[in-house]
Amino acid sequence: MAGHSKWANIKHKKARMDAKRGKLFTKLGREIIVAAKLGGGDPEANPRLKAAIQKAREANMPNDNIIRAIKRGTGEIEGADYEEVVYEGYGPGGVALLLKATTDNRNRTASEIRHLFAKNGGNLGENGCVAWMFDMRGLLTVDLNEVQQDPEEIMLESIEAGAEDVSVEGETVEIITAPDELMTVKETLAEKGYKFTIAEVTMIPKTTVSVSDREQAEKILKLVDVLEDHDDVQSVYANFDIPDDLMKEIGQ
């Protein structure tokens, strides 16, 4: 699990750029719609919706947009009928890729995702071909440059708050939780003054594929990038392991 946040941090920088184009708001709105559709419109009784709303607020999404998305999910107002779908496949070098998307047209989205895989050196696979390689977990990351506490104190307080595992990767502390404990652990640590770079339910690979060749790493990251840029794709998870220095070079 160590190092999972390396690419995630780069993705979040990209997400802030997406917000300027309005794309992030669209994706956050769809997540709220699906969460409300599946679990109801009360965030206190629907952890997924609560997390989606918090993420939307952190991205400065207008409250009216959030309320409207909830009502669309619960059927109080009309709108496109989005459903959640999962796509699985392989990228260059045999890297496993798991995608979560929301769509109102499964056939269209599947065709477009298949095209993106093929165009960028990958293959869209059958359901179940790579899902077994990932575990669903809550992920919190803390930037050591932005807190007063030392890593050992953060690790101890995180475990006391209910975290399953804590590791230090460079200047980042990764806190792993059970999916349904993410918000509880986050709120407990937030009360102690912690701020998080990442706070989300994610899919963490059980094993990774080491990629040290720059050309291959660039191909993998390009495929991930174009998949993430697709309007219907909410999240892309992969099991590559690219060295820090190479990741920084490519991410600049």
Side-chain angles (χ1 to χ4, degrees), residues 24-43:
L24 181 61
F25 286 175
T26 299
K27 295 193 175 189
L28 290 170
R30 288 192 184 186
E31 169 61 15
I32 292 172
I33 290 170
V34 172
K37 178 181 177 181
L38 296 176
D42 179 7

Side-chain angles (χ1 to χ4, degrees), residues 89-97 117 120-123 133 208-213 215-221 223 239-241:
Y90 292 93
V95 168
L97 293 166
F117 266 94
N120 292 278
N123 293 286
M133 300 182 190
T208 58
V209 175
S210 179
V211 181
S212 57
D213 178 75
E215 183 178 355
Q216 188 174 69
E218 288 179 336
K219 289 179 179 179
I220 292 168
L221 296 180
L223 173 57
N239 72 339
F240 59 76
D241 182 15

Side-chain angles (χ1 to χ4, degrees), residues 44 69 84 229 233:
E44 295 306 317
E84 188 171 61
D229 202 48
V233 174

Side-chain angles (χ1 to χ4, degrees), residues 40-59:
D42 179 7
E44 295 306 317
N46 184 345
R48 178 173 174 177
L49 177 60
K50 185 175 183 179
I53 291 172
Q54 189 160 358
K55 194 171 183 179
R57 286 174 175 161
E58 289 171 354

